[in-house]
Amino acid sequence: MKPAERLKIPPTVMPEQDPKERIHNVKEVPLGYTPEMAMVEAQRCLQCKTPFCIEGCPVGIDIPGFIRAIEQGDFKKGVHVLKQRNLLPAVCGRVCPQEEQCQAVCVIGKAKKDPTKAVMIGKLEMFLADWEREQGVYATPTAVRKTGKKVAIVGGGPAGLTVAGDLIKFGHDVTVYEAFHKAGGVLLYGIPEFRLPKAIVQTEVDYLEKLGVKFRYNFIVGKTAPVEKIVEENDAVFIGTGAGLPRFMRVEGENLLGVLSANEYLTRANLMKAYTFPQSDTPIVKGRTVITVGGGNVAMDCARTALRMGAERSLIVYRRAEEQMPARLEEIHHAREEGVEFHLLNNPVRLVGNDKGWITGAELIKMELGKPDASGRRRPIPIEGSEYIMETDILIVAIGNSPNPLVPSSYPDLDVTNWGGIIVNEITGQTSVPGVFAGGDIVLGAATVILAMGHGRRAARAMNLYLSSGRWTDLEDGLELCRAEVR
Amino acid sequence: MSKCMTIPARETMMFYLLTDKGLENIVERAVLHAHAAFREPYFVSDNIHILTIGGQSMHEILYKETLGPDITLYRLYAPDVAAYRQPGQFVLMRISDEGERIPITLADVDRNEGSITLIIQSVGKTTLQLAQMEVGDSIPDIAGPLGEPTHIEKVGHVLCVGGGIGTAPLYPVAKAMKEIGNKVTSILGARSENLLILEDRMRAVSDDVIITTDDGSKGKKGLVTDAISELVEQGEKFDQCICMGPPIMMKFVCILTKKLGIPTIVSLNPIMVDGTGMCGGCRVTVGGKIKFACVDGPEFDGHEVDFDEMMARLNTYKSYERVALEHYSEETGCRLEASLKEKGAK
């Protein structure tokens, strides 16, 4: 097929559950490609000689490679190519911001002057991973020679699971310490079922277990055992405890009943399955009107969860305009389709309640955009005298999370930034303590699953070198670096 | 035929070879444990079954004792929690796959046995369900120890005030305060004699113990605050008060001790999900600032705590808890319903 012909093929739309239907269930919204759809979509890829998409991927997946395999109908090979660089493709295909990464630099998207018309790399990735799971042809792990080195992974989220998967393949003895009763971190407690079915996460964790990774659940490093002990008893340690500290707005009335953090709302709904209450024991507050404050993916998740919990009105209140919203376009689009109302350029200044202490409304002030701030986005400025009350039964604060302080605060040897992130060598993930590595949101602050996995991948490579050489200083000199890292 | 299996109740990776039928029971039991944790055992070959629940260490009930109406003491196998636990800390517990995570204070630990002691009053679905479990049964999830430990220091004369099952977390603190060389006076309050717990243990670590009951069925008739006032009137000087019990009791003790100028520590038990600072459900206002009880507490300067707000927040899920309870009693039949009606009548 000639490039011109490939260019003519329109993007293959993935079928989705009808918005009117899906707000009454927690089933996944996109329904997946059929093999035929995937093969048509794969034909759109030009197989560029210099594939920018690979550079755009934080874990450097051979994207043209797996797409070529799909085009040829060799899905097994496609899975193999995909899994060489990405341990959790079923997850990444669903939650990666492809429009900012691989698809942002795709030549097709550029030719069409619209990144949403690029090759649907994420959807193809999701297709392959789902195909593999449905076939049950999970590659049986090949026996590797044991190195006898012990590694502890603190935190079973995306970063930790990536490190665990890589290091077990190098033959190390890997134990993951997880504070919750299940592994997956934000994939379990944060991202809703309708965006990432939990069975997928469990399959990935089960796979790691089959590879030989040991999991210690309900184990809070820094509490159940001191960090020092874990460091002493292992040859290397990876800290991937995430950004689990919810930020609040610090406005009057924030402790009213019915005001809760996005973390609490989503953890109840997802990890604790409050959507089946009272079959499951964990309740979640319900109300006719639910306001979610914030403009990121987490805010979209909350607003969409609220609809599924029976809210008649679900509102997003965000202090900037739509162009500045950090949420993925697809999430905003899905939320809007489902009937979420967007009240942009509005900011709560005070929450009001009744005599029982329950929230009844939020006093919002209208905002206008001023000059760009440090983040490069135009700064929102309150319009004086524009305050008004928006009635609500529930208010969810989804304005971000800070790095979880539990490990750093109980282990003062670790150098941290003034906002609580662990300081690391960007290439190797080395911390200020020899033998201890870190990555993911505990380093970045609240970022994305794929960036955490990229960190995990790089740290695993460096940890393997450290474990085999015993060298700590100038560790990156011994690593083969990819182009992006050298740059 | 040999079977290779994991016994999850003790060690996550302990293998037993089973060669005769006599040991089949252990297999069954382990399978039960595995099912309790809702993780499928997987089979390596026809004659070797590796039963693993993925490092999920189960917590067997080693001992159970009824201390009063709906008050039960449990000793559970939880060596990880016991190893580093200090007075003042708590655990989060989940007793089934559909279960909620509930914070429970620790009354005691035994490091040799690898056990923890919890004293729990059956008030909601989870605690009622737990009360139905017997010695030998296992609980899938116990996470901890959590929270900041009590600051144990020799200050002179310490007043320990416990209300109802609040005496459970108070006991290890009183014990540590005594061991470091403080004089310890304890006041234990309850609605009625049968709701008093750990009196003997508290006597063993206190120089003096005063009992108060609302109905006068034991000790002095009245409230703990009456007893505090009386002691102070008699000329007793206290350098520190530690108060654990129902929020309303802690509130009034703090109002009194503030007036009397006795620094007071209280232990709060608000709604929590994760217990590691992640959800913020447990936030309380202390000295005008928002604190998370799970990581900043659970103990705070009682004179700075906004008790009214905290008590209101505890009601967040009251109506839902009733639904859960009704659902549970429908499932389990009349026995519980009867017990609920009895509660309702009270």
Side-chain angles (χ1 to χ4, degrees):
Chain A
M1 204 184 264
K2 289 197 181 104
E5 286 175 72
R6 293 181 185 271
L7 216 76
K8 275 190 199 136
I9 307 169
T12 316
V13 177
M14 185 177 275
E16 289 178 347
Q17 263 201 84
D18 186 275
K20 286 195 191 73
E21 291 285 317
R22 72 189 189 222
I23 59 168
H24 301 297
N25 65 52
V26 294
K27 287 190 213 122
E28 196 171 9
V29 170
L31 300 169
Y33 279 153
T34 61
E36 294 73 28
M37 288 175 181
M39 286 166 74
V40 169
E41 182 59 26
Q43 285 177 357
R44 300 183 63 229
C45 174
L46 296 177
Q47 297 292 329
C48 303
K49 290 236 163 51
T50 313
F52 295 112
C53 51
I54 300 182
E55 269 187 60
C57 174
V59 296
I61 297 172
D62 177 6
I63 293 166
F66 83 73
I67 294 183
R68 193 185 310 119
I70 295 178
E71 190 183 347
Q72 291 161 352
D74 190 350
F75 303 143
K76 199 169 178 181
K77 185 179 163 197
V79 170
H80 180 73
V81 173
L82 195 52
K83 284 212 155 172
Q84 275 178 342
R85 300 292 302 185
N86 187 348
L87 206 68
L88 308 168
V91 173
C92 295
R94 289 171 166 82
V95 304
C96 266
Q98 289 99 4
E99 66 277 6
E100 293 167 16
Q101 298 173 359
C102 51
Q103 291 177 200
V105 290
C106 172
V107 172
I108 297 277
K110 292 214 163 131
K112 306 244 184 217
K113 296 195 172 58
D114 182 353
T116 62
K117 297 214 165 66
V119 177
M120 299 286 126
I121 300 169
K123 300 210 160 40
L124 289 171
E125 181 182 25
M126 169 178 165
F127 164 76
L128 272 187
D130 291 351
W131 177 85
E132 186 198 23
R133 203 175 53 256
E134 280 156 24
Q135 302 292 306
V137 290
Y138 259 77
T140 30
T142 42
V144 281
R145 191 189 300 173
K146 299 274 173 243
T147 62
K149 300 283 186 188
K150 271 178 74 180
V151 180
I153 314 272
V154 185
L161 293 180
T162 304
V163 177
D166 283 357
L167 291 184
I168 198 87
K169 286 180 186 160
F170 288 129
H172 305 302
D173 177 1
V174 182
T175 305
V176 176
Y177 293 88
E178 167 57 45
F180 270 130
H181 51 268
K182 279 182 184 161
V186 74
L187 307 176
L188 272 194
Y189 73 74
I191 302 175
E193 179 78 14
F194 56 84
R195 212 144 75 72
L196 176 65
K198 301 309 148 211
I200 290 174
V201 181
Q202 194 58 52
T203 310
E204 304 294 354
V205 172
D206 289 347
Y207 178 66
L208 289 178
E209 251 176 39
K210 278 183 203 166
L211 291 177
V213 175
K214 283 172 265 179
F215 285 88
R216 296 288 302 274
Y217 296 107
N218 299 312
F219 200 109
I220 303 105
V221 172
K223 289 286 176 192
T224 308
V227 185
E228 287 87 344
K229 182 166 179 273
I230 303 292
V231 172
E232 256 168 46
E233 288 178 353
N234 288 278
D235 298 299
V237 175
F238 177 81
I239 298 168
T241 47
L245 186 71
R247 283 190 210 130
F248 284 92
M249 303 180 290
R250 299 181 189 280
V251 299
E252 186 190 325
E254 211 164 12
N255 283 1
L256 287 166
L257 281 69
V259 180
L260 62 175
S261 73
N263 276 358
E264 179 175 0
Y265 193 71
L266 293 174
T267 303
R268 285 178 180 274
N270 298 321
L271 179 75
M272 307 311 292
K273 293 190 273 192
Y275 55 83
T276 65
F277 180 83
Q279 271 74 41
S280 63
D281 295 346
T282 308
I284 190 164
V285 283
K286 292 182 183 179
R288 284 226 288 266
T289 307
V290 177
I291 290 180
T292 304
V293 181
N297 289 326
V298 173
M300 300 305 129
D301 287 346
C302 292
R304 296 173 69 195
T305 299
L307 289 172
R308 285 157 177 81
M309 292 291 150
E312 286 163 22
R313 283 185 81 195
S314 179
L315 288 72
I316 288 278
V317 168
Y318 180 54
R319 64 197 178 118
R320 300 182 197 244
E322 180 155 354
E323 300 75 59
Q324 285 93 24
M325 282 174 88
R328 289 181 63 198
L329 290 175
E330 187 176 323
E331 306 309 328
I332 298 171
H333 167 71
H334 278 153
R336 200 165 260 144
E337 266 189 344
E338 291 171 7
V340 172
E341 296 169 38
F342 287 77
H343 291 255
L344 306 171
L345 290 166
N346 273 281
N347 201 30
V349 287
R350 182 170 71 97
L351 308 180
V352 289
N354 62 18
D355 56 350
K356 297 236 162 49
W358 278 92
I359 184 170
T360 55
E363 185 177 317
L364 306 180
I365 190 164
K366 293 193 172 153
M367 313 287 278
E368 59 189 349
L369 293 176
K371 293 208 173 83
D373 63 10
S375 75
R377 296 181 294 178
R378 289 177 63 190
R379 199 163 66 91
I381 303 162
I383 303 171
E384 264 181 61
S386 67
E387 295 90 340
Y388 66 107
I389 299 269
M390 174 82 81
E391 284 181 12
T392 192
D393 304 308
I394 308 288
L395 185 134
I396 303 163
V397 184
I399 57 169
N401 284 290
S402 305
N404 197 320
L406 231 150
V407 168
S409 68
S410 63
Y411 194 54
D413 294 1
L414 277 180
D415 286 349
V416 293
T417 64
N418 53 11
W419 46 268
I422 297 179
I423 297 169
V424 297
N425 174 321
E426 277 179 32
I427 293 171
T428 61
Q430 289 167 289
T431 67
S432 54
V433 182
V436 180
F437 299 74
D441 280 1
I442 189 71
V443 168
L444 295 163
T448 62
V449 169
I450 189 70
L451 284 176
M453 290 173 56
H455 266 207
R457 162 88 359 119
R458 291 200 289 278
R461 189 183 54 176
M463 287 170 84
N464 185 48
L465 179 63
Y466 167 70
L467 288 167
S468 54
S469 69
R471 189 171 93 190
W472 181 255
T473 46
D474 301 326
L475 193 58
E476 66 262 37
D477 293 352
L479 295 168
E480 246 180 69
L481 304 180
C482 74
R483 251 190 310 169
E485 287 169 321
V486 176
R487 198 173 54 220
Chain B
M1 193 173 96
S2 64
K3 284 182 181 172
C4 186
M5 54 168 292
T6 314
I7 302 284
R10 292 287 171 192
E11 281 290 318
T12 51
M13 278 294 160
M14 192 193 288
F15 291 98
Y16 282 84
L17 277 175
L18 303 178
T19 50
D20 61 62
K21 274 201 160 180
L23 292 173
E24 290 290 320
N25 283 340
I26 298 176
V27 178
E28 277 169 23
R29 182 139 154 206
V31 170
L32 278 178
H33 283 312
H35 281 292
F38 293 91
R39 305 290 297 260
E40 292 299 312
Y42 47 86
F43 300 94
V44 173
S45 70
D46 285 347
N47 63 342
I48 298 179
H49 297 205
I50 293 187
L51 186 80
T52 167
I53 51 166
Q56 189 110 11
S57 58
M58 299 286 286
H59 306 284
E60 194 178 322
I61 301 176
L62 304 171
Y63 176 79
K64 184 184 171 190
E65 185 189 336
T66 304
L67 298 185
D70 295 328
I71 303 173
T72 315
L73 177 149
Y74 304 87
R75 217 164 69 231
L76 296 160
Y77 183 73
D80 284 347
V81 178
Y84 289 96
R85 162 269 181 196
Q86 293 171 66
Q89 292 186 297
F90 63 96
V91 293
L92 270 162
M93 185 174 192
R94 197 181 75 123
I95 67 171
S96 74
D97 198 45
E98 300 298 319
E100 58 179 337
R101 294 166 63 93
I102 54 167
I104 303 279
T105 51
L106 285 161
D108 210 353
V109 297
D110 181 339
R111 291 205 175 116
N112 292 327
E113 190 183 43
S115 71
I116 59 173
T117 300
L118 312 174
I119 295 173
I120 299 172
Q121 193 161 17
S122 305
V123 286
K125 182 195 163 179
T126 303
T127 46
L128 276 170
Q129 213 176 348
L130 181 66
Q132 307 294 316
M133 296 174 83
E134 297 301 335
V135 170
D137 289 343
S138 281
I139 289 160
D141 301 303
I142 295 178
L146 294 164
E148 286 297 311
T150 313
H151 184 63
I152 303 292
E153 193 186 6
K154 186 168 173 181
V155 290
H157 193 177
V158 177
L159 175 65
C160 292
V161 183
I165 63 160
T167 308
L170 183 64
Y171 166 68
V173 176
K175 189 176 162 194
M177 282 295 189
K178 178 73 190 162
E179 277 167 3
I180 208 165
N182 289 299
K183 182 181 176 193
V184 175
T185 298
S186 297
I187 301 173
L188 307 182
R191 281 205 312 275
S192 183
E193 180 182 7
N194 57 2
L195 292 165
L196 271 173
I197 59 163
L198 301 184
E199 187 191 332
D200 293 346
R201 290 202 201 193
M202 285 302 286
R203 283 198 188 280
V205 298
S206 308
D207 295 86
D208 197 9
V209 173
I210 294 155
I211 307 282
T212 68
T213 50
D214 296 8
D215 62 2
S217 52
K218 182 156 188 186
K220 293 193 167 86
K221 183 176 165 142
L223 303 170
V224 291
T225 41
D226 302 334
I228 298 171
S229 303
E230 207 172 304
L231 285 173
V232 172
E233 275 162 28
Q234 286 164 7
E236 289 280 1
K237 292 259 185 295
F238 298 107
D239 302 293
Q240 173 83 61
C241 171
I242 298 161
C243 176
M244 299 184 192
I248 189 77
M249 183 199 95
M250 293 195 284
K251 176 184 168 177
F252 283 102
V253 167
C254 287
I255 291 172
L256 177 65
T257 57
K258 191 169 186 179
K259 211 165 62 189
L260 298 170
I262 308 169
T264 301
I265 290 169
V266 292
S267 179
L268 307 183
N269 196 6
I271 292 166
M272 289 182 194
V273 182
D274 63 292
T276 61
M278 236 185 64
C279 78
C282 66
R283 58 194 193 276
V284 288
T285 304
V286 181
K289 291 202 177 81
I290 292 183
K291 298 278 180 188
F292 288 2
C294 64
V295 286
D296 300 321
E299 292 176 6
F300 293 104
D301 177 348
H303 297 160
E304 298 288 333
V305 172
D306 183 340
F307 281 103
D308 293 336
E309 178 190 274
M310 190 200 117
M311 286 187 277
R313 287 181 61 78
L314 279 171
N315 287 328
T316 305
Y317 290 98
K318 270 277 160 3
S319 60
Y320 298 87
E321 282 157 14
R322 258 196 307 277
V323 172
L325 212 50
E326 277 160 19
H327 177 79
Y328 179 58
S329 65
E330 268 167 35
E331 272 185 342
T332 52
C334 53
R335 187 161 42 123
L336 270 156
E337 214 164 313
S339 126
L340 284 173
K341 275 194 189 131
E342 196 182 312
K343 268 190 219 299
K346 276 176 198 165

